[in-house]
PDB file of all heavy atoms in Angstrom:
ATOM      1  N   MET A   1       0.846  -1.190   0.000  1.00 76.00           N
ATOM      2  CA  MET A   1       0.000   0.000   0.000  1.00 76.00           C
ATOM      3  C   MET A   1       0.885   1.244   0.000  1.00 76.00           C
ATOM      4  O   MET A   1       1.684   1.438   0.908  1.00 76.00           O
ATOM      5  CB  MET A   1      -0.898  -0.004   1.225  1.00 76.00           C
ATOM      6  CG  MET A   1      -1.833   1.144   1.278  1.00 76.00           C
ATOM      7  SD  MET A   1      -3.254   0.719   2.290  1.00 76.00           S
ATOM      8  CE  MET A   1      -3.953   2.305   2.494  1.00 76.00           C
ATOM      9  N   LYS A   2       0.748   2.054  -1.035  1.00 91.00           N
ATOM     10  CA  LYS A   2       1.566   3.255  -1.152  1.00 91.00           C
ATOM     11  C   LYS A   2       1.122   4.333  -0.170  1.00 91.00           C
ATOM     12  O   LYS A   2      -0.060   4.466   0.120  1.00 91.00           O
ATOM     13  CB  LYS A   2       1.464   3.836  -2.560  1.00 91.00           C
ATOM     14  CG  LYS A   2       2.247   3.101  -3.590  1.00 91.00           C
ATOM     15  CD  LYS A   2       2.259   3.888  -4.887  1.00 91.00           C
ATOM     16  CE  LYS A   2       3.159   3.207  -5.877  1.00 91.00           C
ATOM     17  NZ  LYS A   2       3.425   4.023  -7.034  1.00 91.00           N
ATOM     18  N   THR A   3       2.101   5.105   0.298  1.00 95.00           N
ATOM     19  CA  THR A   3       1.825   6.309   1.066  1.00 95.00           C
ATOM     20  C   THR A   3       1.816   7.455   0.065  1.00 95.00           C
ATOM     21  O   THR A   3       2.740   7.590  -0.731  1.00 95.00           O
ATOM     22  CB  THR A   3       2.918   6.549   2.123  1.00 95.00           C
ATOM     23  OG1 THR A   3       2.956   5.433   3.013  1.00 95.00           O
ATOM     24  CG2 THR A   3       2.648   7.819   2.911  1.00 95.00           C
ATOM     25  N   SER A   4       0.767   8.264   0.082  1.00 97.00           N
ATOM     26  CA  SER A   4       0.667   9.371  -0.870  1.00 97.00           C
ATOM     27  C   SER A   4       0.807  10.704  -0.139  1.00 97.00           C
ATOM     28  O   SER A   4       0.171  10.933   0.883  1.00 97.00           O
ATOM     29  CB  SER A   4      -0.652   9.297  -1.639  1.00 97.00           C
ATOM     30  OG  SER A   4      -1.735   9.230  -0.757  1.00 97.00           O
ATOM     31  N   ILE A   5       1.676  11.561  -0.704  1.00 98.00           N
ATOM     32  CA  ILE A   5       2.028  12.820  -0.054  1.00 98.00           C
ATOM     33  C   ILE A   5       1.877  13.963  -1.047  1.00 98.00           C
ATOM     34  O   ILE A   5       2.394  13.905  -2.166  1.00 98.00           O
ATOM     35  CB  ILE A   5       3.463  12.762   0.484  1.00 98.00           C
ATOM     36  CG1 ILE A   5       3.533  11.671   1.554  1.00 98.00           C
ATOM     37  CG2 ILE A   5       3.896  14.113   1.026  1.00 98.00           C
ATOM     38  CD1 ILE A   5       4.905  11.299   1.985  1.00 98.00           C
ATOM     39  N   LEU A   6       1.159  15.005  -0.620  1.00 98.00           N
ATOM     40  CA  LEU A   6       0.951  16.197  -1.434  1.00 98.00           C
ATOM     41  C   LEU A   6       1.525  17.396  -0.691  1.00 98.00           C
ATOM     42  O   LEU A   6       1.139  17.677   0.448  1.00 98.00           O
ATOM     43  CB  LEU A   6      -0.549  16.415  -1.697  1.00 98.00           C
ATOM     44  CG  LEU A   6      -0.907  17.613  -2.569  1.00 98.00           C
ATOM     45  CD1 LEU A   6      -0.403  17.416  -4.007  1.00 98.00           C
ATOM     46  CD2 LEU A   6      -2.417  17.842  -2.568  1.00 98.00           C
ATOM     47  N   PHE A   7       2.467  18.088  -1.324  1.00 98.00           N
ATOM     48  CA  PHE A   7       3.056  19.306  -0.768  1.00 98.00           C
ATOM     49  C   PHE A   7       2.285  20.498  -1.319  1.00 98.00           C
ATOM     50  O   PHE A   7       2.014  20.559  -2.519  1.00 98.00           O
ATOM     51  CB  PHE A   7       4.529  19.416  -1.168  1.00 98.00           C
ATOM     52  CG  PHE A   7       5.376  18.280  -0.666  1.00 98.00           C
ATOM     53  CD1 PHE A   7       5.709  17.233  -1.494  1.00 98.00           C
ATOM     54  CD2 PHE A   7       5.831  18.269   0.639  1.00 98.00           C
ATOM     55  CE1 PHE A   7       6.487  16.180  -1.039  1.00 98.00           C
ATOM     56  CE2 PHE A   7       6.609  17.219   1.111  1.00 98.00           C
ATOM     57  CZ  PHE A   7       6.941  16.172   0.269  1.00 98.00           C
ATOM     58  N   VAL A   8       1.946  21.462  -0.446  1.00 98.00           N
ATOM     59  CA  VAL A   8       1.096  22.581  -0.875  1.00 98.00           C
ATOM     60  C   VAL A   8       1.663  23.925  -0.410  1.00 98.00           C
ATOM     61  O   VAL A   8       1.998  24.103   0.760  1.00 98.00           O
ATOM     62  CB  VAL A   8      -0.340  22.419  -0.318  1.00 98.00           C
ATOM     63  CG1 VAL A   8      -1.229  23.552  -0.806  1.00 98.00           C
ATOM     64  CG2 VAL A   8      -0.933  21.073  -0.710  1.00 98.00           C
ATOM     65  N   CYS A   9       1.745  24.854  -1.369  1.00 98.00           N
ATOM     66  CA  CYS A   9       2.041  26.252  -1.046  1.00 98.00           C
ATOM     67  C   CYS A   9       1.024  27.107  -1.789  1.00 98.00           C
ATOM     68  O   CYS A   9       0.001  26.589  -2.243  1.00 98.00           O
ATOM     69  CB  CYS A   9       3.491  26.623  -1.390  1.00 98.00           C
ATOM     70  SG  CYS A   9       3.907  26.654  -3.145  1.00 98.00           S
ATOM     71  N   MET A  10       1.269  28.380  -1.941  1.00 97.00           N
ATOM     72  CA  MET A  10       0.270  29.260  -2.532  1.00 97.00           C
ATOM     73  C   MET A  10       0.117  29.055  -4.042  1.00 97.00           C
ATOM     74  O   MET A  10      -0.957  28.771  -4.541  1.00 97.00           O
ATOM     75  CB  MET A  10       0.588  30.720  -2.233  1.00 97.00           C
ATOM     76  CG  MET A  10      -0.481  31.671  -2.739  1.00 97.00           C
ATOM     77  SD  MET A  10      -0.169  33.388  -2.306  1.00 97.00           S
ATOM     78  CE  MET A  10      -0.350  33.309  -0.538  1.00 97.00           C
ATOM     79  N   GLY A  11       1.209  29.214  -4.798  1.00 97.00           N
ATOM     80  CA  GLY A  11       1.101  29.161  -6.255  1.00 97.00           C
ATOM     81  C   GLY A  11       1.691  27.926  -6.898  1.00 97.00           C
ATOM     82  O   GLY A  11       1.591  27.755  -8.101  1.00 97.00           O
ATOM     83  N   ASN A  12       2.337  27.081  -6.101  1.00 98.00           N
ATOM     84  CA  ASN A  12       2.947  25.836  -6.587  1.00 98.00           C
ATOM     85  C   ASN A  12       4.078  26.097  -7.576  1.00 98.00           C
ATOM     86  O   ASN A  12       4.277  25.362  -8.531  1.00 98.00           O
ATOM     87  CB  ASN A  12       1.875  24.911  -7.180  1.00 98.00           C
ATOM     88  CG  ASN A  12       2.355  23.484  -7.424  1.00 98.00           C
ATOM     89  OD1 ASN A  12       1.923  22.853  -8.382  1.00 98.00           O
ATOM     90  ND2 ASN A  12       3.222  22.954  -6.589  1.00 98.00           N
ATOM     91  N   ILE A  13       4.856  27.186  -7.317  1.00 98.00           N
ATOM     92  CA  ILE A  13       6.029  27.435  -8.158  1.00 98.00           C
ATOM     93  C   ILE A  13       7.317  27.611  -7.359  1.00 98.00           C
ATOM     94  O   ILE A  13       8.397  27.653  -7.951  1.00 98.00           O
ATOM     95  CB  ILE A  13       5.835  28.653  -9.095  1.00 98.00           C
ATOM     96  CG1 ILE A  13       5.584  29.922  -8.302  1.00 98.00           C
ATOM     97  CG2 ILE A  13       4.758  28.378 -10.136  1.00 98.00           C
ATOM     98  CD1 ILE A  13       5.728  31.202  -9.118  1.00 98.00           C
ATOM     99  N   CYS A  14       7.236  27.717  -6.042  1.00 97.00           N
ATOM    100  CA  CYS A  14       8.455  27.903  -5.245  1.00 97.00           C
ATOM    101  C   CYS A  14       8.636  26.781  -4.227  1.00 97.00           C
ATOM    102  O   CYS A  14       9.417  25.857  -4.435  1.00 97.00           O
ATOM    103  CB  CYS A  14       8.434  29.254  -4.520  1.00 97.00           C
ATOM    104  SG  CYS A  14       8.519  30.683  -5.617  1.00 97.00           S
ATOM    105  N   ARG A  15       7.915  26.857  -3.134  1.00 98.00           N
ATOM    106  CA  ARG A  15       8.151  25.944  -2.012  1.00 98.00           C
ATOM    107  C   ARG A  15       7.672  24.522  -2.256  1.00 98.00           C
ATOM    108  O   ARG A  15       8.405  23.556  -2.011  1.00 98.00           O
ATOM    109  CB  ARG A  15       7.497  26.505  -0.743  1.00 98.00           C
ATOM    110  CG  ARG A  15       8.122  27.811  -0.303  1.00 98.00           C
ATOM    111  CD  ARG A  15       7.321  28.464   0.789  1.00 98.00           C
ATOM    112  NE  ARG A  15       6.059  28.979   0.253  1.00 98.00           N
ATOM    113  CZ  ARG A  15       5.095  29.494   0.997  1.00 98.00           C
ATOM    114  NH1 ARG A  15       5.215  29.534   2.315  1.00 98.00           N
ATOM    115  NH2 ARG A  15       3.994  29.963   0.434  1.00 98.00           N
ATOM    116  N   SER A  16       6.441  24.353  -2.716  1.00 98.00           N
ATOM    117  CA  SER A  16       5.927  22.984  -2.860  1.00 98.00           C
ATOM    118  C   SER A  16       6.626  22.201  -3.973  1.00 98.00           C
ATOM    119  O   SER A  16       6.903  21.013  -3.780  1.00 98.00           O
ATOM    120  CB  SER A  16       4.403  22.966  -3.003  1.00 98.00           C
ATOM    121  OG  SER A  16       3.952  23.752  -4.071  1.00 98.00           O
ATOM    122  N   PRO A  17       6.980  22.809  -5.122  1.00 98.00           N
ATOM    123  CA  PRO A  17       7.748  22.016  -6.079  1.00 98.00           C
ATOM    124  C   PRO A  17       9.157  21.714  -5.575  1.00 98.00           C
ATOM    125  O   PRO A  17       9.708  20.648  -5.875  1.00 98.00           O
ATOM    126  CB  PRO A  17       7.768  22.858  -7.354  1.00 98.00           C
ATOM    127  CG  PRO A  17       7.366  24.216  -6.952  1.00 98.00           C
ATOM    128  CD  PRO A  17       6.576  24.099  -5.689  1.00 98.00           C
ATOM    129  N   ALA A  18       9.740  22.629  -4.801  1.00 98.00           N
ATOM    130  CA  ALA A  18      11.046  22.342  -4.199  1.00 98.00           C
ATOM    131  C   ALA A  18      10.926  21.138  -3.268  1.00 98.00           C
ATOM    132  O   ALA A  18      11.752  20.221  -3.302  1.00 98.00           O
ATOM    133  CB  ALA A  18      11.574  23.560  -3.444  1.00 98.00           C
ATOM    134  N   ALA A  19       9.879  21.120  -2.453  1.00 98.00           N
ATOM    135  CA  ALA A  19       9.665  19.992  -1.543  1.00 98.00           C
ATOM    136  C   ALA A  19       9.437  18.701  -2.326  1.00 98.00           C
ATOM    137  O   ALA A  19       9.973  17.645  -1.972  1.00 98.00           O
ATOM    138  CB  ALA A  19       8.482  20.276  -0.622  1.00 98.00           C
ATOM    139  N   GLU A  20       8.659  18.783  -3.394  1.00 98.00           N
ATOM    140  CA  GLU A  20       8.419  17.603  -4.216  1.00 98.00           C
ATOM    141  C   GLU A  20       9.726  17.074  -4.804  1.00 98.00           C
ATOM    142  O   GLU A  20      10.003  15.869  -4.766  1.00 98.00           O
ATOM    143  CB  GLU A  20       7.428  17.917  -5.344  1.00 98.00           C
ATOM    144  CG  GLU A  20       7.118  16.723  -6.212  1.00 98.00           C
ATOM    145  CD  GLU A  20       6.120  17.002  -7.330  1.00 98.00           C
ATOM    146  OE1 GLU A  20       5.555  18.115  -7.402  1.00 98.00           O
ATOM    147  OE2 GLU A  20       5.901  16.072  -8.140  1.00 98.00           O
ATOM    148  N   GLY A  21      10.555  17.961  -5.334  1.00 98.00           N
ATOM    149  CA  GLY A  21      11.831  17.549  -5.920  1.00 98.00           C
ATOM    150  C   GLY A  21      12.787  16.956  -4.900  1.00 98.00           C
ATOM    151  O   GLY A  21      13.421  15.927  -5.153  1.00 98.00           O
ATOM    152  N   VAL A  22      12.895  17.593  -3.748  1.00 98.00           N
ATOM    153  CA  VAL A  22      13.758  17.092  -2.672  1.00 98.00           C
ATOM    154  C   VAL A  22      13.266  15.727  -2.201  1.00 98.00           C
ATOM    155  O   VAL A  22      14.048  14.776  -2.074  1.00 98.00           O
ATOM    156  CB  VAL A  22      13.805  18.091  -1.492  1.00 98.00           C
ATOM    157  CG1 VAL A  22      14.415  17.452  -0.250  1.00 98.00           C
ATOM    158  CG2 VAL A  22      14.570  19.353  -1.890  1.00 98.00           C
ATOM    159  N   PHE A  23      11.964  15.620  -1.960  1.00 98.00           N
ATOM    160  CA  PHE A  23      11.425  14.368  -1.445  1.00 98.00           C
ATOM    161  C   PHE A  23      11.561  13.242  -2.466  1.00 98.00           C
ATOM    162  O   PHE A  23      11.896  12.105  -2.115  1.00 98.00           O
ATOM    163  CB  PHE A  23       9.970  14.552  -1.000  1.00 98.00           C
ATOM    164  CG  PHE A  23       9.449  13.415  -0.189  1.00 98.00           C
ATOM    165  CD1 PHE A  23      10.042  13.060   1.010  1.00 98.00           C
ATOM    166  CD2 PHE A  23       8.351  12.695  -0.614  1.00 98.00           C
ATOM    167  CE1 PHE A  23       9.562  11.997   1.774  1.00 98.00           C
ATOM    168  CE2 PHE A  23       7.859  11.637   0.128  1.00 98.00           C
ATOM    169  CZ  PHE A  23       8.471  11.290   1.336  1.00 98.00           C
ATOM    170  N   ARG A  24      11.330  13.534  -3.733  1.00 98.00           N
ATOM    171  CA  ARG A  24      11.508  12.515  -4.779  1.00 98.00           C
ATOM    172  C   ARG A  24      12.935  11.963  -4.746  1.00 98.00           C
ATOM    173  O   ARG A  24      13.153  10.752  -4.822  1.00 98.00           O
ATOM    174  CB  ARG A  24      11.229  13.089  -6.168  1.00 98.00           C
ATOM    175  CG  ARG A  24       9.779  13.228  -6.496  1.00 98.00           C
ATOM    176  CD  ARG A  24       9.593  13.677  -7.956  1.00 98.00           C
ATOM    177  NE  ARG A  24       8.233  14.079  -8.199  1.00 98.00           N
ATOM    178  CZ  ARG A  24       7.237  13.239  -8.480  1.00 98.00           C
ATOM    179  NH1 ARG A  24       7.473  11.956  -8.530  1.00 98.00           N
ATOM    180  NH2 ARG A  24       6.020  13.691  -8.690  1.00 98.00           N
ATOM    181  N   ALA A  25      13.912  12.863  -4.649  1.00 98.00           N
ATOM    182  CA  ALA A  25      15.318  12.438  -4.621  1.00 98.00           C
ATOM    183  C   ALA A  25      15.618  11.600  -3.376  1.00 98.00           C
ATOM    184  O   ALA A  25      16.314  10.578  -3.458  1.00 98.00           O
ATOM    185  CB  ALA A  25      16.236  13.656  -4.679  1.00 98.00           C
ATOM    186  N   MET A  26      15.095  12.012  -2.234  1.00 98.00           N
ATOM    187  CA  MET A  26      15.333  11.263  -0.998  1.00 98.00           C
ATOM    188  C   MET A  26      14.659   9.896  -1.028  1.00 98.00           C
ATOM    189  O   MET A  26      15.220   8.906  -0.559  1.00 98.00           O
ATOM    190  CB  MET A  26      14.850  12.064   0.210  1.00 98.00           C
ATOM    191  CG  MET A  26      15.701  13.257   0.519  1.00 98.00           C
ATOM    192  SD  MET A  26      15.096  14.103   2.007  1.00 98.00           S
ATOM    193  CE  MET A  26      16.378  15.337   2.215  1.00 98.00           C
ATOM    194  N   VAL A  27      13.463   9.842  -1.583  1.00 97.00           N
ATOM    195  CA  VAL A  27      12.735   8.577  -1.695  1.00 97.00           C
ATOM    196  C   VAL A  27      13.490   7.631  -2.629  1.00 97.00           C
ATOM    197  O   VAL A  27      13.634   6.439  -2.343  1.00 97.00           O
ATOM    198  CB  VAL A  27      11.289   8.827  -2.180  1.00 97.00           C
ATOM    199  CG1 VAL A  27      10.636   7.571  -2.701  1.00 97.00           C
ATOM    200  CG2 VAL A  27      10.465   9.439  -1.046  1.00 97.00           C
ATOM    201  N   LYS A  28      13.999   8.168  -3.736  1.00 97.00           N
ATOM    202  CA  LYS A  28      14.775   7.346  -4.671  1.00 97.00           C
ATOM    203  C   LYS A  28      16.039   6.828  -3.995  1.00 97.00           C
ATOM    204  O   LYS A  28      16.371   5.643  -4.107  1.00 97.00           O
ATOM    205  CB  LYS A  28      15.129   8.162  -5.913  1.00 97.00           C
ATOM    206  CG  LYS A  28      15.873   7.371  -6.953  1.00 97.00           C
ATOM    207  CD  LYS A  28      16.119   8.177  -8.210  1.00 97.00           C
ATOM    208  CE  LYS A  28      16.802   7.290  -9.251  1.00 97.00           C
ATOM    209  NZ  LYS A  28      17.010   7.995 -10.510  1.00 97.00           N
ATOM    210  N   SER A  29      16.734   7.704  -3.289  1.00 97.00           N
ATOM    211  CA  SER A  29      17.964   7.319  -2.589  1.00 97.00           C
ATOM    212  C   SER A  29      17.700   6.243  -1.533  1.00 97.00           C
ATOM    213  O   SER A  29      18.544   5.377  -1.301  1.00 97.00           O
ATOM    214  CB  SER A  29      18.588   8.558  -1.940  1.00 97.00           C
ATOM    215  OG  SER A  29      19.739   8.210  -1.235  1.00 97.00           O
ATOM    216  N   ALA A  30      16.533   6.286  -0.917  1.00 96.00           N
ATOM    217  CA  ALA A  30      16.160   5.310   0.121  1.00 96.00           C
ATOM    218  C   ALA A  30      15.545   4.042  -0.481  1.00 96.00           C
ATOM    219  O   ALA A  30      15.127   3.147   0.248  1.00 96.00           O
ATOM    220  CB  ALA A  30      15.186   5.946   1.103  1.00 96.00           C
ATOM    221  N   ASN A  31      15.481   3.991  -1.824  1.00 95.00           N
ATOM    222  CA  ASN A  31      14.903   2.849  -2.534  1.00 95.00           C
ATOM    223  C   ASN A  31      13.451   2.593  -2.110  1.00 95.00           C
ATOM    224  O   ASN A  31      13.046   1.454  -1.914  1.00 95.00           O
ATOM    225  CB  ASN A  31      15.762   1.596  -2.346  1.00 95.00           C
ATOM    226  CG  ASN A  31      15.496   0.549  -3.394  1.00 95.00           C
ATOM    227  OD1 ASN A  31      15.072   0.865  -4.507  1.00 95.00           O
ATOM    228  ND2 ASN A  31      15.720  -0.705  -3.060  1.00 95.00           N
ATOM    229  N   LEU A  32      12.690   3.675  -1.969  1.00 96.00           N
ATOM    230  CA  LEU A  32      11.291   3.584  -1.559  1.00 96.00           C
ATOM    231  C   LEU A  32      10.327   4.047  -2.650  1.00 96.00           C
ATOM    232  O   LEU A  32       9.154   4.277  -2.387  1.00 96.00           O
ATOM    233  CB  LEU A  32      11.061   4.421  -0.293  1.00 96.00           C
ATOM    234  CG  LEU A  32      11.715   3.910   0.986  1.00 96.00           C
ATOM    235  CD1 LEU A  32      11.668   4.981   2.075  1.00 96.00           C
ATOM    236  CD2 LEU A  32      11.054   2.633   1.456  1.00 96.00           C
ATOM    237  N   GLU A  33      10.807   4.169  -3.866  1.00 95.00           N
ATOM    238  CA  GLU A  33       9.972   4.700  -4.948  1.00 95.00           C
ATOM    239  C   GLU A  33       8.672   3.927  -5.142  1.00 95.00           C
ATOM    240  O   GLU A  33       7.645   4.524  -5.453  1.00 95.00           O
ATOM    241  CB  GLU A  33      10.755   4.723  -6.261  1.00 95.00           C
ATOM    242  CG  GLU A  33      11.842   5.770  -6.285  1.00 95.00           C
ATOM    243  CD  GLU A  33      12.709   5.661  -7.518  1.00 95.00           C
ATOM    244  OE1 GLU A  33      13.412   4.648  -7.653  1.00 95.00           O
ATOM    245  OE2 GLU A  33      12.665   6.599  -8.342  1.00 95.00           O
ATOM    246  N   SER A  34       8.713   2.630  -4.954  1.00 94.00           N
ATOM    247  CA  SER A  34       7.498   1.832  -5.149  1.00 94.00           C
ATOM    248  C   SER A  34       6.525   1.965  -3.985  1.00 94.00           C
ATOM    249  O   SER A  34       5.386   1.511  -4.063  1.00 94.00           O
ATOM    250  CB  SER A  34       7.856   0.352  -5.347  1.00 94.00           C
ATOM    251  OG  SER A  34       8.443  -0.164  -4.167  1.00 94.00           O
ATOM    252  N   GLU A  35       6.946   2.633  -2.921  1.00 93.00           N
ATOM    253  CA  GLU A  35       6.142   2.743  -1.707  1.00 93.00           C
ATOM    254  C   GLU A  35       5.426   4.076  -1.546  1.00 93.00           C
ATOM    255  O   GLU A  35       4.654   4.258  -0.607  1.00 93.00           O
ATOM    256  CB  GLU A  35       7.023   2.526  -0.464  1.00 93.00           C
ATOM    257  CG  GLU A  35       7.802   1.233  -0.465  1.00 93.00           C
ATOM    258  CD  GLU A  35       6.907   0.010  -0.478  1.00 93.00           C
ATOM    259  OE1 GLU A  35       5.784   0.075   0.063  1.00 93.00           O
ATOM    260  OE2 GLU A  35       7.326  -1.015  -1.043  1.00 93.00           O
TER     261      GLU A  35
END
């Protein structure tokens, strides 16, 4: 069962996409992409 995470800021061009990019990289590094 996947855990689903949504990052939210005001316009979705600064903070939340940065969080999405950082988290994607960390998840990949932790070999949790399928989770």
Side-chain angles (χ1 to χ4, degrees):
M1 182 156 167
K2 284 189 175 191
T3 300
S4 54
I5 297 168
L6 181 67
F7 299 100
V8 182
C9 68
M10 184 176 293
N12 193 214
I13 60 166
C14 293
R15 296 170 289 174
S16 56
E20 181 179 354
V22 166
F23 193 60
R24 282 186 192 277
M26 289 182 174
V27 163
K28 183 176 183 177
S29 178
N31 199 26
L32 291 167
E33 289 173 294
S34 65
E35 305 298 330

